[in-house]
Amino acid sequence: METLKADLAWSLEEEDDLILEHSAEDEAHRATKFCVVGRFLMDQTFNFTAMKNRMTNIWKPVKGVTIKTLGKGRFMFEFYHHLDVSRVMNGLPWTFNNHPLLLRHLQRGEYALRVPQTTLPFWV
């Protein structure tokens, strides 16, 4: 029994050594691959939880979405599948409480708080 415990402990230590480290560039690319930065055209505050629930219900992402506040009125929408990102970006424009949502697919090397968000596509 002691030998089994020792073998198990040794195996767990070996597994810790097998963890592959990723470069900062790989991490940045993985982090932005399915990320969309957005902000609403409004000056007043709103219920963040209500917005998260509403946008998730509208978009119905197959693999899910994580929505985080970035400050300065910006939000990060992190999707987990390229089809979810495509569906959201191709379905523009989106609104919450009749306020338009400006969205931009974050590209490799872009900083979320510095990307310009000045255009909104709409149908005439």
Side-chain angles (χ1 to χ4, degrees):
M1 188 67 153
E2 292 300 320
T3 305
L4 180 60
K5 286 182 185 177
D7 288 343
L8 182 58
W10 181 72
S11 295
L12 291 176
E13 287 174 8
E14 277 187 347
E15 286 182 20
D16 289 341
D17 293 338
L18 294 176
I19 295 173
L20 299 176
E21 293 187 24
H22 299 284
S23 70
E25 186 177 318
D26 291 340
E27 287 296 320
H29 179 63
R30 187 181 60 78
T32 60
K33 190 173 182 181
F34 304 131
C35 289
V36 175
V37 178
R39 73 179 180 92
F40 291 94
L41 287 179
M42 70 168 88
D43 290 331
Q44 72 250 24
T45 60
F46 60 89
N47 184 327
F48 177 70
T49 304
M51 181 274 293
K52 281 176 44 173
N53 292 335
R54 182 69 178 144
M55 299 317 289
T56 302
N57 287 336
I58 291 172
W59 292 335
K60 295 179 180 22
V62 175
K63 297 286 185 175
V65 62
T66 300
I67 303 173
K68 302 173 192 172
T69 183
L70 298 174
K72 296 184 179 182
R74 293 189 183 217
F75 302 93
M76 175 74 74
F77 302 90
E78 184 178 3
F79 296 91
Y80 299 98
H81 197 276
H82 69 93
L83 291 177
D84 292 332
V85 175
S86 296
R87 187 171 47 248
V88 168
M89 295 307 292
N90 290 334
L92 291 171
W94 301 102
T95 62
F96 173 70
N97 288 347
N98 293 322
H99 296 284
L101 173 61
L102 301 174
L103 290 176
R104 179 180 167 112
H105 189 183
L106 196 59
Q107 301 299 313
R108 183 181 225 168
E110 287 185 320
Y111 182 59
L113 290 176
R114 292 190 183 143
V115 295
Q117 291 186 297
T118 56
T119 59
L120 177 68
F122 61 93
W123 299 355
V124 179

